[in-house]
Amino acid sequence: TLSGTGASLSQSIIGLAFQGPHIFGDGQVSGDLHLDLWGGTTSSLNHLVRLRVATVRVDWKNQSLVVGQDKPIISPRDPSSLAQAAFSPLTSAGNPWLWQPQARFEQRFAWGDDMGLRAQAGVYETNEPTASAGPEYAASLTAGRPAFQGRFLFWRNFGHGARIEIAPGFHASQTHVAGVSVPSRLVSVAWMM
């Protein structure tokens, strides 16, 4: 017998996609569901299976509407890492890659076949599980609150598959603690060549 053999699905990511019906204005309904098995403790199923992305979207020719849980609008791409299933790289630096509830709208503009703009804006639920305000104010701290986010991706294709993208973005929200609102503002710029 082989008493020392075994297998694991730990660190696996499982994804499902569906294509729904066409709706008014020639819109196409679709959705995504991504789970991961990040290898937490076996004492609780919640630590073994984690919901990453669960979205329903409607795509028209130049617009999209997305509702569900996904990455923030301002940071749709993950940094490269082999250990990405459990924690995104740079998690300790504020983690702009948390999967959170949101609703967003996208408008696409094209200037010919080789240049365009994707403008996205929406409401994103923030999450501050590690925020602290001292024991006397801890009960008044709201960990989750709505934020407004936007991203404007300018793109240009060149011959032979070359592409350049520049995408400024913004985040605006308020943290509420001890009856006071503390503003949170973020400006981002991402690029790809």
Side-chain angles (χ1 to χ4, degrees), residues 6-94:
S8 173
L9 292 174
S10 182
Q11 299 292 329
S12 297
I13 298 173
I14 300 167
L16 302 169
F18 78 89
Q19 292 293 326
H22 285 276
I23 61 169
F24 63 91
D26 202 30
Q28 173 69 51
V29 177
S30 63
D32 287 299
L33 175 68
H34 296 197
L35 306 168
D36 70 36
L37 307 171
W38 65 274
T41 64
T42 57
S43 63
S44 170
L45 185 60
N46 291 338
H47 289 242
L48 293 175
V49 179
R50 179 174 58 173
L51 178 66
R52 294 165 70 104
V53 174
T55 59
V56 174
R57 64 183 299 132
V58 181
D59 293 306
W60 292 275
K61 180 181 178 186
N62 294 314
Q63 297 92 13
S64 294
L65 178 63
V66 181
V67 177
Q69 178 169 305
D70 204 344
K71 294 179 197 161
I73 296 169
I74 61 168
S75 53
R77 293 191 176 106
D78 283 323
S80 297
S81 171
L82 295 175
Q84 184 178 327
F87 303 102
S88 293
L90 304 174
T91 298
S92 297

Side-chain angles (χ1 to χ4, degrees), residues 119-134:
Q120 297 175 319
V123 179
Y124 175 83
E125 182 182 325
T126 63
N127 185 8
E128 297 181 9
T130 60
S132 66

Side-chain angles (χ1 to χ4, degrees), residues 137 140-141 176-180:
Y137 302 112
S140 68
L141 179 65
H176 303 289
V177 61
V180 177

Side-chain angles (χ1 to χ4, degrees), residues 77-186:
R77 293 191 176 106
D78 283 323
S80 297
S81 171
L82 295 175
Q84 184 178 327
F87 303 102
S88 293
L90 304 174
T91 298
S92 297
N95 197 356
W97 298 280
L98 288 175
W99 303 284
Q100 289 293 113
Q102 62 188 272
R104 68 176 180 252
F105 177 77
E106 176 179 311
Q107 177 70 51
R108 294 177 290 280
F109 303 93
W111 298 292
D113 293 333
D114 295 325
M115 188 169 27
L117 165 69
R118 287 176 48 198
Q120 297 175 319
V123 179
Y124 175 83
E125 182 182 325
T126 63
N127 185 8
E128 297 181 9
T130 60
S132 66
E136 64 274 13
Y137 302 112
S140 68
L141 179 65
T142 56
R145 66 198 180 285
F148 299 101
Q149 293 190 349
R151 185 170 188 262
F152 307 94
L153 184 140
F154 299 93
W155 59 272
R156 164 89 185 188
N157 289 331
F158 299 95
H160 307 292
R163 182 178 174 103
I164 186 169
E165 295 179 356
I166 298 173
F170 70 89
H171 167 101
S173 65
Q174 302 282 335
T175 297
H176 303 289
V177 61
V180 177
S181 293
V182 181
S184 174
R185 305 292 183 262
L186 175 80

